[in-house]
Amino acid sequence: MDISVELTFSPLQDDFEQHIINFIKKLRECGLTVLENPLSTQVYGSYDEVMKVLNTEIKTAFELMDRGLLFMKIVKSDRSDYEPHF
């Protein structure tokens, strides 16, 4: 089963930018399809692979900061090739 996950990672501290950069770089290294825009990061792949990577990387990111939050949306399908039709 393929999924698409949209993540918005928001460290709630002054040095937030480096935490976001590090989190995205780790996702890029995982071998999954990772797309970014100014507001969120999308990860695409099989459910088991994506969730395994996210479990590890979210835990690591949270351990490296004092406070933060992460919004996550999951869609049951690979939407990496989506193009608007308007």
Side-chain angles (χ1 to χ4, degrees), residues 14-83:
D14 291 338
D15 63 340
F16 66 92
E17 190 172 301
Q18 193 58 51
H19 290 281
I20 295 169
I21 290 168
N22 293 341
F23 181 67
I24 292 172
K25 284 182 175 181
K26 293 296 285 184
L27 291 177
R28 288 177 182 165
E29 295 172 1
C30 72
L32 298 169
T33 301
V34 177
L35 302 175
E36 303 134 23
N37 65 52
L39 298 176
S40 65
T41 302
Q42 294 84 39
V43 182
Y44 305 92
S46 75
Y47 179 89
D48 290 334
E49 290 179 56
V50 171
M51 296 309 286
K52 180 181 175 183
V53 167
L54 292 180
N55 185 50
T56 299
E57 298 309 330
I58 291 169
K59 181 177 181 179
T60 299
F62 279 176
E63 288 173 340
L64 294 172
M65 63 183 174
D66 296 327
R67 292 173 307 281
L69 58 93
L70 182 120
F71 292 101
M72 181 167 54
K73 298 176 192 174
I74 302 174
V75 178
K76 184 185 170 191
S77 68
D78 183 334
R79 305 289 292 161
S80 60
D81 61 352
Y82 172 77
E83 293 187 29

